[in-house]
Amino acid sequence: MKSSVHLLSLGCAKNLVDSEVMLGTLLKAGHTIEPNQADADVVIINTCGFLESSRKESVEAILEANQVHSIKPGQKLLVAGCMAQRFATDLQKELPEVSAFIGINEVPRIHEIIEEIAVGPQRSAVSNRPAPKDTPHSGHLKSQISNLKSFVSRKPTYLYDFATPRYQLTPSHYAYIKVGEGCNHPCAFCSIPIMRGRHRSRTIDDVEAEARALVANGVKELLLISQDTTYFGKDLGVADGLSRLLTRLNAIEGDFWIRILYTHPAHWNERVMETIAASPKVCRYIDMPLQHMDDAMLMKMRRETSRAHIENIIARSRAIVPGIAIRTTFIVGFPGETDVHFETLLQSVKDARFERLGVFEYSKESGTLAGRMESQVPTRTKKARYNKLMAAQQKISAELMASRVGKTLRILVDKDGKKLIGRTESDAPDIDGRVRLKGKGWQAGEFQQAKITASTEYDLVAEPAEKLLAASF
Ligand code: SF4
């Protein structure tokens, strides 16, 4: 029996690729995609389980999806993604509305699962109760166990390949390529290895085949993602895996960008930097979450790196790849963080002048080493440190943006709803700044020359360079 399926994808780009694989697999099996949730036979919520806040968002999305249930009796509600992978047992008790929970390994057989539950019993009666005060482990909502199913294997090992059907959910001109999955790092605050398993890489041939197909399809930007993209190939015994991959992808015919996301400082080396410098298609852009800059904190976070190593990466990458933009993120309020540790971080940020920077307040996560640590930092202290670091970065960013006024930059034009916006080589989709476009002649999905006429703290303003050029004659 074929179903119409509506999918809501939450969380990170890696989860989005899983959503694309699920939809591609369902289409290949003859099911259809239903844009309107209320009209779908099956609703899939692909959840995020990384932080308390993202789990809350996932549970609210599940309950909201259930509210819609009353419109289409018999509709099935499936929960996939990291939260299902880790908390299916608890969630079964707390969310009887759900027809089935699906783990990471079950992504490629989503069609079989839908066909299996399609013939299954009705879901338990609708309940419009509020989201649980606290996500899994709450247990305060005693409800009858319905006949729902759990398709979750304990050890996540799945990773798609070139032959896997995918239904692109990003705008047609850019696409994520998941080059690896899982993570072998022991970061004390992170639960991702619990949900995504050990690191596993695809082969260079396999990734190249996918990239060729996407470029042939008109994709203008390939975003390479995994939990640690700099670890690419190491598990397969491939030396300099990322450099080799970049060289291969750069050799593909066509006019497109290659962007590297989610790298780890411990695995950066000059070989990768030199490859970026020698590969015109590879964006001069590094996304490298650093989390902290104080050695005592880096040690306590189990980040397997040091301030000296990080400072060397920054200096060498800026020397080897002139004009490179560095994006990073930091955590403030990690257990045991003192004013002195924080001042080290703050001063490092002022010295390094990162082009793009995000800050997170430490979130205590069950199942992580840091979640069991003493000396948790009070919320108001976290907030104060967050504000201080963001204020310092806002000033730096405004100066860096202002230094680009008057320049002509190559941008890729995106659509934001009805509005056209631009992104330079230094701007990844959804997480970085943008170029606000003035004037006419901008085309979505195209590379165009933009004359920067003004700037704000995080964004640039531009006119079409061509028009200005013509006007100057
Ligand atoms: S590198 Fe650290 S923070 Fe990133 S996914 Fe792995 S364990 Fe988590």
Side-chain angles (χ1 to χ4, degrees):
M1 193 172 84
K2 301 308 174 191
S3 303
S4 63
V5 180
H6 177 88
L7 185 147
L8 175 65
S9 192
L10 302 172
C12 67
K14 288 146 273 183
N15 215 29
L16 184 77
V17 172
D18 290 352
S19 297
E20 294 181 338
V21 168
M22 285 193 269
L23 290 177
T25 305
L26 288 166
L27 283 173
K28 189 165 177 224
H31 300 275
T32 56
I33 297 176
E34 171 51 64
N36 183 8
Q37 183 173 315
D39 299 332
D41 301 320
V42 177
V43 172
I44 303 173
I45 311 283
N46 194 14
T47 62
C48 174
F50 186 39
L51 298 175
E52 174 62 33
S53 54
S54 42
R55 289 194 294 278
K56 224 181 200 45
E57 183 200 5
S58 296
V59 169
E60 275 152 14
I62 294 167
L63 292 176
E64 223 171 276
N66 186 55
Q67 303 303 335
V68 174
H69 173 134
S70 53
I71 295 173
K72 182 148 180 153
Q75 184 183 71
K76 302 289 181 191
L77 179 56
L78 274 59
V79 171
C82 287
M83 198 174 75
Q85 176 64 40
R86 185 170 175 205
F87 297 111
T89 315
D90 298 307
L91 292 170
Q92 279 186 320
K93 296 183 214 101
E94 289 165 18
L95 297 169
E97 303 85 347
V98 174
S99 314
F101 288 92
I102 297 161
I104 305 298
N105 291 352
E106 285 66 40
V107 163
R109 61 183 201 88
I110 181 77
H111 57 305
E112 295 163 15
I113 293 171
I114 283 188
E115 282 148 24
E116 187 176 323
I117 61 160
V119 290
Q122 286 292 327
R123 284 202 323 233
S124 65
V126 170
S127 62
N128 48 15
R129 56 193 170 77
K133 286 257 168 316
D134 181 12
T135 47
H137 306 310
S138 61
H140 67 277
L141 287 164
K142 289 284 162 274
S143 52
Q144 83 283 1
I145 300 286
S146 76
N147 292 335
L148 60 77
K149 295 211 163 58
S150 175
F151 301 84
V152 178
S153 37
R154 296 189 70 68
K155 205 160 162 268
T157 55
Y158 175 67
L159 178 59
Y160 79 108
D161 62 20
F162 166 54
T164 307
R166 257 181 86 176
Y167 177 82
Q168 199 175 332
L169 289 171
T170 52
S172 59
H173 60 275
Y174 70 80
Y176 293 102
I177 298 184
K178 201 193 277 191
V179 298
E181 181 57 282
C183 189
N184 295 358
H185 289 283
C187 304
F189 50 81
C190 183
S191 57
I192 290 174
I194 303 170
M195 298 179 285
R196 292 277 164 171
R198 301 282 293 167
H199 183 101
R200 50 224 187 259
S201 304
R202 294 168 64 189
T203 64
I204 294 177
D205 292 347
D206 187 49
V207 175
E208 184 190 353
E210 182 176 13
R212 280 187 184 285
L214 289 168
V215 170
N217 251 351
V219 170
K220 296 266 180 12
E221 183 179 7
L222 305 172
L223 299 116
L224 308 184
I225 61 173
S226 69
Q227 307 301 346
D228 175 4
T229 307
T230 29
Y231 198 90
F232 178 75
K234 289 187 190 311
D235 55 312
L236 302 176
V238 179
D240 291 318
L242 181 57
S243 296
R244 292 164 185 254
L245 175 64
L246 293 175
T247 304
R248 278 276 204 92
L249 299 185
N250 187 68
I252 297 174
E253 284 298 304
D255 181 14
F256 59 94
W257 278 344
I258 301 161
R259 190 181 299 277
I260 312 166
L261 294 179
Y262 305 104
T263 69
H264 192 292
H267 298 301
W268 265 99
N269 59 46
E270 297 204 1
R271 179 96 161 75
V272 181
M273 299 169 193
E274 284 149 8
T275 306
I276 295 175
S279 311
K281 293 190 177 92
V282 180
C283 293
R284 293 167 302 159
Y285 175 92
I286 291 182
D287 171 37
M288 180 173 58
L290 293 170
Q291 314 303 7
H292 217 288
M293 288 296 281
D294 179 276
D295 281 329
M297 277 289 111
L298 288 167
M299 182 77 80
K300 210 166 180 222
M301 286 177 162
R302 303 247 175 132
R303 287 292 290 165
E304 301 176 304
T305 189
S306 69
R307 180 171 170 191
H309 177 72
I310 293 171
E311 288 174 344
N312 182 52
I313 295 171
I314 296 169
R316 295 304 297 146
S317 55
R318 285 176 171 164
I320 295 170
V321 192
I324 197 159
I326 302 178
R327 147 171 269 279
T328 191
T329 51
F330 291 108
I331 295 175
V332 293
F334 185 81
E337 186 189 55
T338 64
D339 288 347
V340 176
H341 297 142
F342 175 69
E343 286 307 319
T344 307
L345 172 58
L346 182 60
Q347 193 52 51
S348 301
V349 163
K350 289 178 179 170
D351 298 342
R353 296 177 65 78
F354 296 103
E355 284 73 16
R356 300 286 182 206
L357 184 148
V359 182
F360 293 93
E361 292 171 38
Y362 170 72
S363 169
K364 186 178 175 190
E365 292 300 315
S366 63
T368 65
L369 186 67
R372 299 190 293 279
M373 284 180 184
E374 302 294 314
S375 51
Q376 298 282 331
V377 175
T379 305
R380 74 181 179 290
T381 308
K382 286 185 208 171
K383 181 55 72 191
R385 289 174 182 167
Y386 172 92
N387 292 337
K388 213 169 173 187
L389 203 54
M390 285 303 284
Q393 178 59 21
Q394 191 178 40
K395 186 169 168 300
I396 292 166
S397 182
E399 290 160 7
L400 293 173
M401 292 299 112
S403 70
R404 308 186 98 183
V405 174
K407 293 202 170 115
T408 295
L409 301 175
R410 187 174 204 230
I411 63 167
L412 184 54
V413 178
D414 287 348
K415 253 191 166 184
D416 176 18
K418 290 200 172 47
K419 217 167 52 183
L420 294 180
I421 56 159
R423 285 185 294 110
T424 69
E425 216 180 336
S426 314
D427 307 312
D430 302 328
I431 53 174
D432 291 325
R434 50 184 50 191
V435 183
R436 302 178 196 177
L437 304 177
K438 303 284 182 214
K440 295 197 169 18
W442 301 109
Q443 290 172 300
E446 296 300 328
F447 287 116
Q448 290 184 266
Q449 293 297 319
K451 176 79 180 194
I452 308 303
T453 55
S455 66
T456 66
E457 291 94 344
Y458 302 113
D459 295 342
L460 300 170
V461 180
E463 298 263 357
E466 294 80 7
K467 191 185 103 216
L468 290 176
L469 207 61
S472 65
F473 283 109

